[in-house]
Amino acid sequence: MGADADGNGYIDKSEFHSHVQKIALQLGKDPPTEKEISDMMVDLDQNEDGQLSMDEFKEYVKVTFKELGL
């Protein structure tokens, strides 16, 4: 299942939280705190609508992969 669990084309805070936690665990990393996830969401949510569009989410993926050296 992808990050957009309900398939509406956007990733809300709950979906983003679940996705980030899952990825951290799969990578053997400590999961980020609720505050860290909220801060990431604010940084990524460029139009400030409280959810991530696919373009906003793609930026998260791009940055994450770059940080991991992938």
Side-chain angles (χ1 to χ4, degrees):
M1 182 180 295
D4 180 16
D6 63 10
N8 71 351
Y10 295 92
I11 296 146
D12 63 29
K13 185 177 180 179
S14 175
E15 290 170 326
F16 187 64
H17 181 272
S18 295
H19 177 76
V20 170
Q21 294 279 355
K22 180 180 171 184
I23 295 299
L25 291 173
Q26 288 176 344
L27 294 173
K29 305 277 186 183
D30 289 333
T33 65
E34 189 70 35
K35 169 116 173 69
E36 290 169 327
I37 292 172
S38 291
D39 289 348
M40 282 190 279
M41 186 90 174
V42 167
D43 290 345
L44 293 166
D45 184 15
Q46 295 181 1
N47 64 355
E48 300 177 357
D49 64 354
Q51 58 190 0
L52 301 180
S53 67
M54 286 300 127
D55 287 337
E56 291 167 333
F57 185 71
K58 285 177 188 173
E59 185 60 28
Y60 154 75
V61 172
K62 187 170 85 175
V63 168
T64 301
F65 273 68
K66 186 175 183 179
E67 287 177 3
L68 294 170
L70 302 173

